[in-house]
Amino acid sequence: MDRVNATTPSAPSDDPGRAAFAALRTREGEQLLAELRDHDPADELATATRLRRTHPAELVSAALGQARLRQRAVAKFGAEDAYRMYFTPDGVEQATRTTVAAHRAARFAGLGVRSVADLCCGIGGDAIALARAGISVLAVDRDPLTAEVVRANAAALGLDGLIEVRCADVTEVDTSPYDAVFVDPARRGARGESGRGGRATGGRIFDPEAYSPPLSWATAAALKAPRAALKIAPGIPHEAIGPEAEAEWISDGGDVKEAVLWYGEGFAPGAFRATVLPYGATLSAPAPLPAPPVGPVGRYLYEPDGAVIRARLVADLVERCGGRLVDETIAYITSDEPYSSPYVAGYEITDELPFSMKRLKALLRERQVGVLTVKKRGSAVEPEELRRRMKLSGPHAATVFLTRVAGAPTMLIGHPLG
């Protein structure tokens, strides 16, 4: 396939951001970035002073800023990609991590999708994952600098033959030639212009209609396509999800990263799904499940993954493990038999006590607990404050759950299974 993007950006003299980025992509800029790969930010002043003896001050400042962004991006993209890519401050913060983007791209590819219009593409995290899944991508962002960054990233990773970048307002793009649409509205006000086809007001945005572009526009765009995915904040109210969508909550390494609304052929309208990465395990239900049973604390306690809780699929896990909730309002599951699943973290419970700082301190001292993991649901106690007051000392470790059991404040002490 012919390459669809120019590999060297041009920058007008009145756009300092693009001018600085263009300088980074010169031979001198690339050599400077390579030299700064492993630099210590704590030594930045000394590093800047040294480099300015042989390089223009503006280039040194731009390279140091980009080096910092690359170091931050390693957590999302891995070192191999992050140190070849380019970033903006908002782009690092808002980009999808590679594991999540790859999961989403695999769902598209598994349904035979060969082309995707990626609207609000940011610095290109999802476009990269889609291209690596063999899907051709139109990546759209209205911010000129962001568009230049996506082009540079596609070229740096050898994907510019599959990723076409267009600097445009996403609301004006014709997506009809594409098999699917992916929309990632800005849910956080950018440092200035959002670059995603709509407004930005600064800080995290909680109202879906304040997304940029608004959720209503994104949903309408998704419904026009044969297949579509709409990335949203995981805390979105369930009532804001239309019946046409299959809603999926995705966690990675135990943290809920995002929610996705899927539309079109191959998805289940009205269904809720929880996906747990890196396992790739998926739990789904077509409709809200009946309330699970509640009962006394057994030998084992299970903490459901956050994606399962957000998708309201805890009742499914209760049924799978033959257990019960410890309280009708708390997402802790208990059973009398051990249960292993990627959807839960399991613990063996040794003690169940009414909440009392004094009793807990005495028990931990008696058992010589020097390392205490504090987990809580339904308790106002701050874990750090509790650990401070325990004055821990000893060779052993324990986990304490501060929660409610049948409505009463309770402490459960135990240790992880396995």
Side-chain angles (χ1 to χ4, degrees):
M1 179 182 293
D2 293 336
R3 292 178 181 267
V4 295
N5 299 304
T7 57
T8 302
S10 60
S13 59
D14 60 349
D15 188 337
R18 292 176 67 195
F21 180 65
L24 287 178
R25 299 195 63 208
T26 63
R27 181 181 297 275
E28 182 181 10
E30 290 175 350
Q31 291 175 344
L32 196 53
L33 283 173
E35 181 179 344
L36 289 170
R37 172 178 172 134
D38 298 318
H39 94 287
D40 185 350
D43 298 330
E44 188 163 298
L45 181 59
T47 301
T49 301
R50 174 177 57 82
L51 292 175
R52 283 171 180 159
R53 298 189 188 112
T54 53
H55 301 281
E58 295 82 0
L59 178 59
V60 171
S61 295
L64 285 167
Q66 190 62 223
R68 288 193 300 270
L69 294 176
R70 285 180 168 184
Q71 289 179 349
R72 286 174 55 193
V74 168
K76 286 188 175 183
F77 291 90
E80 184 176 354
D81 282 352
Y83 285 112
R84 290 189 289 167
M85 293 172 65
Y86 297 88
F87 302 95
T88 65
D90 292 316
V92 170
E93 189 170 348
Q94 299 180 13
T96 304
R97 65 176 49 222
T98 295
T99 48
V100 178
H103 161 73
R104 185 163 41 240
R107 287 202 77 183
F108 271 136
L111 292 171
V113 170
R114 306 306 300 164
S115 62
V116 172
D118 179 359
L119 308 181
C120 313
C121 66
I123 54 90
D126 281 281
I128 290 166
L130 290 164
R132 283 176 167 167
I135 297 171
S136 63
V137 185
L138 171 66
V140 184
D141 199 290
R142 78 173 185 182
D143 177 58
L145 173 58
T146 302
E148 295 285 10
V149 169
V150 183
R151 288 191 185 96
N153 288 338
L157 300 178
L159 299 170
D160 44 345
L162 283 169
I163 300 175
E164 175 189 354
V165 181
R166 187 179 303 173
C167 184
D169 187 323
V170 298
T171 63
E172 299 174 357
V173 174
D174 178 14
T175 62
S176 60
Y178 299 88
D179 296 341
V181 167
F182 172 62
V183 191
D184 180 8
R187 295 171 305 282
R188 187 185 296 271
R191 298 164 179 85
E193 193 70 38
S194 75
R196 293 202 171 202
R199 61 192 180 278
T201 57
R204 189 180 295 273
I205 297 171
F206 296 97
D207 177 8
E209 283 307 295
Y211 290 178
S212 177
L215 180 62
S216 57
W217 180 90
T219 300
L223 290 171
K224 292 177 185 176
R227 295 185 177 92
L230 170 56
K231 178 179 170 181
I232 55 175
I236 188 171
H238 283 213
E239 56 270 20
I241 300 172
E244 310 91 347
E246 173 190 303
E248 179 183 25
W249 282 263
I250 304 171
S251 71
D252 188 18
D255 296 326
V256 181
K257 296 301 180 183
E258 65 181 60
V260 187
L261 303 183
W262 297 94
Y263 299 86
E265 185 179 353
F267 305 112
F272 285 178
R273 176 185 297 267
T275 296
V276 178
L277 301 176
Y279 306 104
T282 293
L283 190 68
S284 64
L289 300 169
V294 178
V297 177
R299 182 176 178 182
Y300 302 98
L301 188 77
Y302 305 101
E303 181 181 26
D305 184 89
V308 174
I309 296 173
R310 292 289 179 90
R312 297 182 182 173
L313 295 174
V314 173
D316 189 297
L317 290 182
V318 172
E319 183 177 336
R320 286 170 181 248
C321 74
R324 53 202 176 265
L325 296 182
V326 301
D327 185 278
E328 64 180 0
T329 65
I330 302 294
Y332 281 141
I333 303 170
T334 187
S335 72
D336 303 308
E337 300 295 333
Y339 172 70
S340 178
S341 164
Y343 305 113
V344 299
Y347 300 83
E348 184 172 9
I349 299 302
T350 57
D351 300 90
E352 177 184 355
L353 303 168
F355 179 79
S356 167
M357 289 279 197
K358 184 176 181 180
R359 292 185 66 177
L360 179 62
K361 184 175 181 180
L363 185 146
L364 297 176
R365 181 181 299 161
E366 176 186 337
R367 296 185 184 172
Q368 297 182 302
V369 172
V371 178
L372 182 66
T373 300
V374 182
K375 293 179 172 288
K376 67 168 191 169
R377 281 190 182 145
S379 172
V381 177
E382 291 300 326
E384 288 303 322
E385 172 64 13
L386 183 141
R387 272 190 288 265
R388 185 186 65 79
R389 294 179 61 179
M390 292 300 102
K391 301 187 185 320
L392 300 169
S393 177
H396 302 135
T399 301
V400 59
F401 295 87
L402 307 177
T403 187
R404 293 193 303 271
V405 174
T410 304
M411 303 182 300
L412 305 175
I413 296 91
H415 55 81
L417 291 175

